[in-house]
Amino acid sequence: SHDGSRSFPPACLSLLQSLPGNLHCIDCHAADASWASVTYGTVMCLKCSGRHRGLGVQTSYVKSLTMDSWNHSQVLSMLEGGNTQLSQFFSRHHMSPTDPNYYGPDVINRYNTKAALFYKHHLSNHIKSVAEKGVYLGREACRRGKSGTKSSGKSKSVNKKTGNTTSSSPSRGSSGNTSFSGNKIDGKKTSPHAVKIPTIEENSVVETYVDSLCTVRA
């Protein structure tokens, strides 16, 4: 299509499903999470996707992972988001139920809060920054590059047209530090064929924004 839309690339879908929390619905924890909120980079079940549609596209833009077309930026939003990332954000702002089986109106209403607005704006800005770099080198690469952490070697990348993974050398800034992650993580060499998804505590650009700037409380 004219905007570069296509079905969700299989290689990217595998990465998406490997993110913490992404095997279950973000809101009700059902196992069939084949729908997504592009706005928050989260996956959900069919029933909850209907609730998100009821919020309006300005609050939560819903798409099917298997039936809809996706453009490059939308795929990046999913790969740089994640259910656990948003869930932990909500928890810090006292917007997550203590009972995982609970589903009340406040679960869907939290997406209308100022804290949720803050999160989606920073995720959107982060995606724009990642997209401008060209070939996507993965979550770990984006976060290491953002924090200026030194690394060396080659990184895995995902071609936005084919969805295939390839290896590429890291770029370097004027300071000599690598801008993207190599094949060493915390000083330990990893397989060049493995894609490491860091924990939220290790590297999260969105969470760094929140910890340093956000004072909103629900």
Side-chain angles (χ1 to χ4, degrees), residues 12 14 45 84 86 106-107 113 121 157 159 163 180 184 187 192 208:
C12 294
S14 294
C45 67
T84 294
L86 180 59
D106 48 332
V107 173
T113 63
H121 279 176
S157 64
N159 186 292
F180 299 113
K184 287 187 177 180
T208 299

Side-chain angles (χ1 to χ4, degrees), residues 5-81:
S5 296
R6 52 163 293 176
S7 59
F8 207 96
C12 294
L13 184 59
S14 294
L15 289 177
L16 177 65
Q17 293 172 337
S18 71
L19 295 179
N22 277 16
L23 293 180
H24 297 85
C25 174
I26 177 70
D27 290 335
C28 74
H29 309 293
D32 182 21
S34 58
W35 291 80
S37 170
V38 181
T39 307
Y40 297 97
T42 55
V43 297
M44 64 191 68
C45 67
L46 175 62
K47 188 173 183 179
C48 288
S49 74
R51 295 188 176 105
H52 276 252
R53 288 186 188 278
L55 295 172
V57 294
Q58 74 281 357
T59 300
S60 184
Y61 182 29
V62 177
K63 294 177 75 75
S64 167
L65 291 171
T66 58
M67 296 183 289
D68 290 331
S69 295
W70 294 73
N71 62 36
H72 183 49
S73 293
Q74 290 168 348
V75 172
L76 286 179
S77 183
M78 298 306 301
L79 298 181
E80 288 292 306

Side-chain angles (χ1 to χ4, degrees), residues 20 26 82-94 96 119 199-201 204 207 210:
I26 177 70
N83 282 14
T84 294
Q85 181 167 281
L86 180 59
S87 292
Q88 291 189 351
F89 171 85
F90 279 148
S91 292
R92 287 204 304 277
H93 294 283
H94 313 291
S96 288
Y119 182 97
T199 64
I200 303 307
E201 290 77 11
S204 174
E207 298 296 337
V210 171

